[in-house]
Amino acid sequence: MALIQKIRSKGVLILVLMVLAIAGFLAMDIMKSGNRSGSNRVTSNVMGQVDGKTFTYEDFQQIEDVMYTNAKGDVRTQNHIFDEFVDGALVNQEADKLGMGVCKDELLGLEFGPNFSPEVSQNPVMSNTQTGQIDPDKVKQVREAFLQKNQQLETPEFKGYWSEFERRVIKTRLQEKLVALVSKGVYSPTWMVDAAYADLTQPVDILFVKAPFDAVKDDEVKLTDADYQAYLDQHKGKYNQDEETRKMDFVTFTVTPTSEDSNKIDNQIKTLIPDFQKSVKDSAFATLNGGLAPDQWLNSLTQGISEPMKKALFSAPVAVGAVIGPYIDQKSYWLAKIIDKRNGPDSVKARHILLQPKAQTDKIVDLEKMADSFRLALETGKANWDSLNLKYSSDKVAQAAKGELGMVANGAMVPKFNDLIFYKAAPGKYYTVTTQFGVHIVQVTGQSAKREDRLKVAFIRKPIVPGAETLKRVEDQANAFLAANRTLEALDKNAQTAGGQLQTTQPLRAYDYSLGTAGGGAPARDAIKWAYKEGSVGEVAPSVYAFSDQGDSYISRYVVAALKSIQPKGTPTVANIKDDLTPFVKNMKRGEILKNKITGNDLNAIAATYQTKIDTAMQLTFNAIYIPKVGQEPEVIAAAFSTPVNSVTKPIIGQSGVYVVKVISKNPIVNSPVDKNALRQQASAPLKNLIRGKLLADLKKNASITDNRSSFF
């Protein structure tokens, strides 16, 4: 018996170790093969390098098998692993230069507390997989297993897993140290603080009139290559690329279910109605037939309920056991069976005392026993609600109101709490309930007179999908178009007449997995790999790509794609991004035309000419970039501050039009109290915030990185 009890007490740990053992077993062969190859690994197996540090395909597979067992083969996961390698190599390299490290005691504190690493909350061995929070019980059990030198932890499988976990903990900690080190070096000198103070305390009031760009007709705008080049020269930073990209044109042939397809699905779901009506286990029946039975009480105001579903369920009274439908919603046919029905108030007044764990060793079961004892004491008059609330409640907002939650609408609280106060609790009595927030002692103190029906429903869903004949017809259409149009020029010319939709992708990197609006996944990867490995500019890919919408098992579109352009690393040529530049260059040209047309400084005359009005902007500060109700116009604000009071600016080409501004006042704030230290911190804060997000990005720019991942997936 003692042995059985001991096994039970370690049940969670044993289960975790079994899962790890299985995951490790899957990785064992790869790990062994990597060891066997040793120094004989060929260069073709190199997935990437960072300043000479090599990352092989075996390394990648080992991490994928050990850490991402459930997401193997997912392109997002694969790219994430590669990025982790690059980031880790850069962080370790910088840390080595600075003599920075993580000692054994520090590592133990990061793994088992008190200074938990963010990585612990992502480790299923020591966290709650549903909430993503660290589970103190799991942490304690794993630590005890290490202290007792549990044999399960000595296996190569677990050691491989734990070694990778510790590597991540160390990398994260070193990165935090680097960010802290660089942040400490950020300092705002006194002159900068004084300038920031002046920017904040010397506002300006203006009148302005805007001549919109569309006041210039298209036929007045003549664009030349010189115009494009001039714009690109002024905005190089916006378009400069750190790596090569390619663009593709593609034609989409959408697969739309026919009326025959729809009728077929309608007949299929109707055949389920008799068995659904007779079913005793409604949830199981719905699930087996492609449906669901959410454990939720629904009414016409429930969030997430669509109008067709609302109309089907609540337009007329329904009885328990009734099957409603089929009705169409979200491109599917639906059946709904009423499992249960309740009638209750539409709102109640309630109060609660919330008990939450105070320490890692506190357990919910102990809090539940405490709550039951408090409830009994309240019922027998041996305890006072206000005293218990003041001493024990963890809900500080409600605590200040003596635990009162006010009048609560049905559905506003978490399900267990909501179910209790609306359908189970009698007013005046005390109850306990456990939710994800902790253990609650609850009392309903009032109910609204208005009552409403709530339904618990099981649903069966049958998507309206194209049939085999429909798919074949559209696929044949796409293949015929491909056969007749083997160049980009022909593709662009004939797309519309063939019934397809021509689109251009965003700039694509070699390892991207999304082909613009066509979609992502395996077909997108195949198209992008073709563009990088085999395609020439102007050439059409030799096969049609079949795409499915996420979550759907059927093909929804066929795509014919061609390589449109190759953009090398660095500043692009006008020819490669002309389409992207056109709207901006056109506005620049319109602005120049308007600027030359506007004469004089009479705002009323300018407003009348362009059928607009004179607006005001008050208390603008120099560090602002937005004008209220107008948008981002930094050039206008800068001009206002450089113009004397009662003077009118020359026309200013802005983001959405040409502006003329009259400065009506400049009002420095006199004797404004200022804390120079606080202002210094405020001036430094934006740069310090940038460091966390941009430190690694800047390290990457200065590193020599070889990226071969597109050769492997």
Side-chain angles (χ1 to χ4, degrees):
M1 289 297 292
L3 177 60
I4 293 173
Q5 182 60 37
K6 187 173 183 179
I7 292 173
R8 287 175 176 169
S9 68
K10 302 297 183 183
V12 174
L13 178 60
I14 291 171
L15 178 61
V16 168
L17 295 176
M18 288 175 64
V19 173
L20 289 173
I22 293 170
F25 179 77
L26 294 173
M28 188 186 304
D29 187 62
I30 293 171
M31 295 168 71
K32 287 181 178 178
S33 66
N35 292 333
R36 283 195 300 267
S37 61
S39 59
N40 295 322
R41 292 176 181 175
V42 295
T43 55
S44 61
N45 237 14
V46 173
M47 182 173 281
Q49 286 185 328
V50 179
D51 290 334
K53 182 175 176 58
T54 299
F55 180 53
T56 68
Y57 187 56
E58 286 92 343
D59 296 328
F60 165 81
Q61 286 183 306
Q62 180 175 326
I63 295 173
E64 185 180 38
D65 280 318
V66 171
M67 304 301 291
Y68 299 98
T69 305
N70 294 327
K72 288 179 62 176
D74 181 84
V75 181
R76 294 173 182 84
T77 299
Q78 293 169 332
N79 286 333
H80 180 66
I81 294 172
F82 186 89
D83 290 340
E84 282 182 332
F85 163 74
V86 173
D87 292 350
L90 291 171
V91 168
N92 289 329
Q93 179 177 272
E94 291 301 311
D96 288 344
K97 290 178 184 177
L98 296 166
M100 201 178 278
V102 176
C103 68
K104 183 177 180 180
D105 288 342
E106 184 180 8
L107 178 59
L108 289 173
L110 293 167
E111 292 174 326
F112 301 114
N115 303 315
F116 283 112
S117 167
E119 298 295 330
V120 177
S121 64
Q122 300 175 33
N123 186 335
V125 177
M126 296 192 290
S127 67
N128 185 314
T129 54
Q130 293 182 336
T131 64
Q133 300 296 315
I134 296 171
D135 188 323
D137 290 335
K138 288 185 177 181
V139 172
K140 183 179 178 181
Q141 288 176 354
V142 174
R143 184 169 189 173
E144 287 179 353
F146 272 107
L147 292 173
Q148 296 169 8
K149 296 184 178 180
N150 188 297
Q151 291 184 354
Q152 291 282 358
L153 305 188
E154 297 299 316
T155 63
E157 299 81 25
F158 183 82
K159 283 184 175 180
Y161 173 86
W162 198 257
S163 175
E164 176 61 22
F165 167 66
E166 287 192 332
R167 185 192 66 77
R168 294 177 180 215
V169 170
I170 293 170
K171 177 261 178 184
T172 299
R173 182 58 179 152
L174 290 175
Q175 186 174 341
E176 290 173 347
K177 289 182 178 183
L178 286 171
V179 169
L181 180 66
V182 178
S183 297
K184 292 290 185 182
V186 175
Y187 176 78
S188 297
T190 301
W191 68 264
M192 186 179 292
V193 175
D194 291 339
Y197 178 67
D199 292 344
L200 289 169
T201 58
Q202 297 183 16
V204 62
D205 299 336
I206 64 172
L207 297 174
F208 66 92
V209 63
K210 180 180 82 170
F213 287 138
D214 57 16
V216 178
K217 296 179 180 178
D218 284 343
D219 58 9
E220 296 181 68
V221 181
K222 307 296 182 185
L223 300 182
T224 66
D225 288 344
D227 293 326
Y228 281 96
Q229 191 62 54
Y231 182 87
L232 182 58
D233 290 342
Q234 292 174 18
H235 300 86
K236 283 183 178 179
K238 180 179 178 182
Y239 297 99
N240 193 61
Q241 294 186 166
D242 295 330
E243 55 190 313
E244 179 183 308
T245 61
R246 304 190 175 199
K247 283 187 177 182
M248 300 182 74
D249 273 358
F250 62 93
V251 180
T252 302
F253 294 86
T254 304
V255 183
T256 304
T258 64
S259 57
E260 290 80 6
D261 296 328
S262 179
N263 290 335
K264 184 178 179 180
I265 304 299
D266 184 26
N267 291 331
Q268 287 176 357
I269 200 168
K270 282 177 179 176
T271 62
L272 298 174
I273 293 176
D275 290 336
F276 200 16
Q277 287 173 327
K278 292 184 291 185
S279 172
V280 176
K281 297 181 179 180
D282 300 309
S283 298
F285 186 89
T287 303
L288 287 171
N289 287 282
L292 68 161
D295 186 21
Q296 182 182 8
W297 291 94
L298 309 176
N299 74 347
S300 59
L301 300 177
T302 301
Q303 290 187 353
I305 259 192
S306 64
E307 284 302 320
M309 186 180 294
K310 188 183 299 183
K311 184 178 179 181
L313 295 177
F314 301 105
S315 61
V318 291
V320 174
V323 174
I324 301 166
Y327 60 91
I328 295 178
D329 185 19
Q330 301 172 26
K331 300 180 181 179
S332 298
Y333 282 105
W334 294 75
L335 292 177
K337 183 174 181 180
I338 312 303
I339 299 175
D340 201 355
K341 182 178 182 180
R342 286 182 176 178
N343 183 270
D346 69 347
S347 59
V348 301
K349 189 176 183 181
R351 60 180 181 173
H352 82 143
I353 296 170
L354 175 62
L355 306 180
Q356 290 180 324
K358 301 295 185 184
Q360 294 181 3
T361 54
D362 290 349
K363 296 182 178 180
I364 289 294
V365 65
D366 295 330
L367 294 179
E368 289 174 337
K369 291 177 182 178
M370 182 187 295
D372 286 337
S373 67
F374 287 167
R375 176 176 56 80
L376 183 61
L378 288 167
E379 290 172 346
T380 58
K382 294 180 180 179
N384 176 271
W385 176 278
D386 291 344
S387 298
L388 292 176
N389 171 67
L390 190 61
K391 186 174 182 180
Y392 294 103
S393 184
S394 298
D395 185 346
K396 299 306 177 184
V397 175
Q399 185 186 54
K402 298 183 179 181
E404 293 286 351
L405 298 170
M407 212 67 177
V408 179
N410 201 337
M413 311 301 284
V414 293
K416 285 185 178 180
F417 194 98
N418 194 83
D419 196 37
L420 171 67
I421 63 176
F422 279 93
Y423 302 117
K424 296 179 181 178
K429 291 189 175 182
Y430 298 99
Y431 300 86
T432 61
V433 63
T434 302
T435 71
Q436 62 262 47
F437 298 107
V439 183
H440 310 254
I441 305 161
V442 185
Q443 184 186 41
V444 172
T445 57
Q447 295 180 336
S448 65
K450 184 180 179 182
R451 303 180 71 83
E452 63 179 2
D453 286 338
R454 289 246 167 178
L455 306 176
K456 189 166 283 190
V457 186
F459 297 97
I460 293 177
R461 171 180 175 258
K462 294 292 182 186
I464 303 173
V465 301
E469 292 182 1
T470 304
L471 286 168
K472 185 67 168 58
R473 175 176 52 79
V474 180
E475 183 182 17
D476 288 347
Q477 181 185 2
N479 278 311
F481 179 79
L482 171 63
N485 299 275
R486 299 300 303 152
T487 65
L488 177 63
E489 182 181 1
L491 194 79
D492 292 353
K493 180 180 178 181
N494 299 319
Q496 191 170 359
T497 56
Q501 302 172 8
L502 177 68
Q503 297 180 65
T504 302
T505 68
Q506 73 280 14
L508 300 168
R509 298 166 297 180
Y511 48 85
D512 275 342
Y513 51 86
S514 177
L515 196 70
T517 57
R525 277 299 304 148
D526 290 342
I528 295 169
K529 286 171 73 173
W530 169 83
Y532 270 87
K533 293 181 180 298
E534 303 169 39
S536 301
V537 173
E539 185 181 357
V540 177
S543 60
V544 172
Y545 301 100
F547 285 83
S548 300
D549 288 323
Q550 187 174 6
D552 290 329
S553 58
Y554 62 92
I555 295 169
S556 57
R557 55 202 170 277
Y558 292 96
V559 169
V560 177
L563 180 56
K564 182 175 184 177
S565 63
I566 298 174
Q567 177 55 55
K569 177 181 177 180
T571 304
T573 63
V574 167
N576 275 351
I577 60 169
K578 196 167 189 176
D579 291 344
D580 298 328
L581 295 176
T582 296
F584 301 104
V585 177
K586 188 174 288 187
N587 279 344
M588 181 184 73
K589 200 73 172 179
R590 284 171 167 164
E592 292 171 355
I593 293 171
L594 285 170
K595 186 176 180 179
N596 292 329
K597 284 184 177 181
I598 295 173
T599 58
N601 57 12
D602 186 341
L603 267 59
N604 287 299
I606 297 170
T609 300
Y610 293 100
Q611 297 180 349
T612 184
K613 62 179 181 178
I614 298 174
D615 283 315
T616 61
M618 313 299 286
Q619 298 293 293
L620 290 175
T621 58
F622 186 74
N623 61 352
I625 58 173
Y626 288 94
I627 297 177
K629 299 181 181 179
V630 174
Q632 186 173 340
E633 293 292 356
E635 294 88 353
V636 176
I637 294 173
F641 273 87
S642 62
T643 301
V645 175
N646 293 323
S647 297
V648 179
T649 66
K650 293 180 179 179
I652 307 156
I653 301 176
Q655 302 295 313
S656 58
V658 175
Y659 294 79
V660 178
V661 176
K662 181 176 182 179
V663 179
I664 54 179
S665 68
K666 292 184 177 180
N667 303 308
I669 300 173
V670 182
N671 298 325
S672 174
V674 59
D675 182 340
K676 283 290 182 74
N677 287 330
L679 200 60
R680 192 184 306 278
Q681 292 177 6
Q682 184 179 343
S684 302
L687 184 55
K688 288 184 176 182
N689 290 335
L690 282 175
I691 290 170
R692 182 169 296 277
K694 295 195 68 175
L695 181 61
L696 274 175
D698 289 341
L699 289 175
K700 287 178 183 178
K701 286 183 180 180
N702 295 320
S704 174
I705 299 175
T706 301
D707 184 350
N708 297 328
R709 76 186 102 164
S710 63
S711 298
F712 297 92
F713 52 80

